[in-house]
Amino acid sequence: MLLSRRRLLAAALSLPLLPRRAAATTAAANFPAGFLWGASTSAAQIEGAASEDGRGPSIWDAFARQPGKIADGGTPAVACDHYHRWREDIALMRRLGLTAYRFSISWSRVIPAGTGAANAKGWDFYDRLVDGLLATGITPMPCLFHWDLPLALHERGGWMSRDSAGWFADYAVAAARRLGDRVPYWLMLNEPSVMAIFGYGLAAHAPGLGGGAPACLAALHHQNLAQGTALKALRAERPAAKLGTVLSLQPVVADSARAADGAAAIRWDAVWNRVALDGVMRGAIPGILVPEMAKLVRPDDLAIIRQPLDLLGVNYYSKMTVRAQPGALFDTGWGRPRAARFTAMGWPVQPEGLLDILMELKALYGNPPVMITENGAAYDDRLGPDGEVADPTRIAFLGDHLRALRRALAAGCNVRGYLVWSLMDNFEWQAGYTRRFGLAYVDYASERRIPKASFHWYGAVMRGERPI
Ligand code: BGC
């Protein structure tokens, strides 16, 4: 039955029917059977086709057009052209040997104004993508929101407005109605704290509000509320679906033993990690933020925000070292991380932070089922004269983090899968196309995908040919 459905899908989508690869789910040495191996991307970062087939503009389209906002002046307008090359990209995933693929749905592609009329051609794209993944034996893990808010909703207040909870829940239900018969996992938001800090508190990301702590906390609280409302609605709509959300969890370290730096670390941890994590897991607000959030939080909000999760997505890149900096957002600035290695983003390589996070989730949050939904690094990759991309530093980075993950598993942490950021180089937000996180190199002039050495390495790890 399953096979004939796959055959049918493959034929309908003109995809080669390839044998299922059971190997990647089970064989990787020292990882549990059924562990999901995969990679992540997001709509604004790879799709392009920003004004095709009825898609409405998102805040990132508008933000990237403002002079000086993006390092190389790049925009998401074309990106990796995945909207047209999705077949080729599924073949790339198949070649890599993924068993899971996390992507995001572009809200403004499927509901151009954010609320109201749906765009049939937009939904058709995700239909094809989901069917193509399933035909190839890859589990689709769509994320409903990865920062690209429809511009029309921003004009109605965006995440500053409490109405956003209803807008998002309606969109989530529409997605589940359209794709839920085939999609086993639904992820709600991507890193709400990062969106709130860089897009609303500061002006480094879209929508570039720069409204300081009050705007940041409002955007964070309303995303929490939207997530809780959507989770509740999806439980009713699709009782069998596995529901989750994705948080950026990074241990926060004080730059020095000074009391002021210690206090800054506690504040930053509250904003970056705890408002979102304690919200969904405990229905609580970190104590030190209660005075600042009191006006935002209405009596029933915390009960809506606290929801059972079938999967907690954790994005991990590094720890964060902070210090007191009066006048900065939450009076906190970046400190000097103590690390021997740094990535091209300037981020320290600290795989032990991943272990710390997982152990903390086990000890303090009831050991929830976790999926590492992003982990990876940007390095200065170059296409060699031999047509190869040698990226030994990325291989070392991923290997170190997988070893940390294996230690967490050995200690009893409930980790169900691991997804690399990212399948391919893509639009790296305010860094434009100047930072490359991919397992596949993208030559933007031709849009050719060229597997890097790390791509081959990761494939061998998943097949169990290269023990971690
Ligand atoms: C985001 C990705 C981003 C990555 C690297 C994560 O915070 O979810 O969209 O590309 O970090 O900066």
Side-chain angles (χ1 to χ4, degrees):
M1 169 66 192
L2 192 60
L3 195 70
S4 65
R5 178 173 159 77
R6 289 179 59 227
R7 261 184 214 294
L8 224 82
L9 280 171
L13 297 162
S14 347
L15 286 164
L17 182 72
L18 298 159
R20 263 174 191 278
R21 235 191 209 165
T25 48
T26 53
N30 304 318
F31 284 85
F35 193 81
L36 285 172
W37 291 98
S40 282
T41 62
S42 90
Q45 294 180 271
I46 66 165
E47 282 183 7
S51 42
E52 256 176 77
D53 288 345
R55 180 183 176 281
S58 90
I59 54 172
W60 269 97
D61 299 318
F63 183 75
R65 276 198 297 269
Q66 291 173 36
K69 291 294 186 188
I70 311 294
D72 58 357
T75 75
V78 177
C80 305
D81 196 31
H82 169 73
Y83 186 75
H84 298 114
R85 293 168 195 264
W86 60 273
R87 269 195 194 84
E88 182 191 330
D89 290 334
I90 291 179
L92 186 74
M93 293 176 219
R94 174 63 182 71
R95 184 170 164 201
L96 177 54
L98 300 187
T99 48
Y101 173 56
R102 170 179 171 248
F103 58 97
S104 77
I105 295 179
S106 157
W107 188 345
S108 54
R109 191 178 294 291
V110 295
I111 306 176
T115 56
N119 175 30
K121 286 190 173 170
W123 282 122
D124 289 348
F125 170 69
Y126 295 106
D127 254 342
R128 292 193 293 272
L129 181 64
V130 164
D131 288 347
L133 290 166
L134 291 171
T136 316
I138 299 171
T139 302
M141 303 189 79
C143 180
L144 288 167
F145 179 72
H146 198 125
W147 301 354
D148 48 352
L149 193 76
L151 188 60
L153 292 185
H154 173 64
E155 284 157 3
R156 292 162 68 188
W159 293 120
M160 295 299 289
S161 165
R162 273 184 78 88
D163 293 345
S164 53
W167 304 335
F168 182 69
D170 288 350
Y171 155 54
V173 167
R177 289 197 178 143
R178 183 63 192 246
L179 303 170
D181 56 332
R182 286 151 291 154
V183 165
Y185 293 93
W186 287 101
L187 301 166
M188 303 297 108
L189 303 177
N190 179 71
E191 303 185 351
S193 66
V194 178
M195 166 113 210
I197 290 169
F198 292 111
Y200 288 81
L202 304 169
H205 280 189
L209 215 67
C216 173
L217 293 174
L220 198 38
H221 181 63
H222 295 144
Q223 285 181 89
N224 271 348
L225 208 53
Q227 174 181 277
T229 311
L231 282 166
K232 248 177 121 166
L234 288 190
R235 286 256 176 249
E237 183 70 30
R238 290 263 155 210
K242 292 202 187 311
L243 305 183
T245 201
V246 175
L247 305 182
S248 167
L249 298 180
Q250 327 276 317
V252 180
V253 182
D255 191 49
S256 78
R258 286 172 51 224
D261 288 347
I266 291 169
R267 268 196 315 277
W268 197 251
D269 176 56
V271 178
W272 189 286
N273 295 313
R274 308 287 157 189
V275 177
L277 182 63
D278 290 4
V280 68
M281 302 293 290
R282 299 174 165 165
I285 291 174
I288 54 163
L289 291 176
V290 168
E292 277 171 275
M293 294 187 72
K295 278 211 198 90
L296 283 169
V297 184
R298 297 199 187 153
D300 296 335
D301 286 3
L302 294 176
I304 296 171
I305 290 171
R306 179 184 193 171
Q307 292 293 328
L309 293 179
D310 303 305
L311 200 63
L312 175 64
V314 173
N315 290 356
Y316 177 78
Y317 288 91
S318 69
K319 302 195 229 183
M320 277 180 294
T321 305
V322 301
R323 63 189 172 85
Q325 189 182 320
L329 186 66
F330 296 101
D331 293 324
T332 302
W334 301 122
R336 278 171 308 109
R338 318 302 194 258
R341 292 175 288 160
F342 290 82
T343 71
M345 298 293 282
W347 299 345
V349 179
Q350 295 169 316
E352 68 281 5
L354 178 59
L355 180 61
D356 294 349
I357 287 290
L358 294 171
M359 293 301 280
E360 188 183 301
L361 289 172
K362 176 171 181 262
L364 304 179
Y365 292 86
N367 209 13
V370 164
M371 175 106 163
I372 306 305
T373 34
E374 286 184 29
N375 177 236
Y379 285 108
D380 190 15
D381 304 316
R382 295 187 192 268
L383 186 56
D386 53 357
E388 305 281 324
V389 182
D391 58 344
T393 40
R394 180 172 294 100
I395 292 175
F397 180 100
L398 296 174
D400 288 345
H401 286 77
L402 284 172
R403 278 182 281 280
L405 182 56
R406 214 187 54 197
R407 286 176 62 195
L409 283 165
C413 295
N414 192 3
V415 188
R416 307 292 178 86
Y418 174 85
L419 312 180
V420 171
W421 184 269
S422 178
L423 175 67
M424 58 186 146
D425 297 337
N426 57 48
F427 175 70
E428 177 48 34
W429 309 117
Q430 76 271 42
Y433 296 93
T434 66
R435 293 288 178 273
R436 295 178 177 274
F437 275 88
L439 294 169
Y441 182 93
V442 177
D443 170 34
Y444 292 108
S446 65
E447 293 289 6
R448 206 154 64 85
R449 283 74 161 128
I450 300 145
K452 302 178 189 175
S454 58
F455 180 103
H456 303 297
W457 173 87
Y458 188 48
V461 169
M462 290 188 283
R463 290 190 298 275
E465 292 164 12
R466 203 175 280 260
I468 282 296

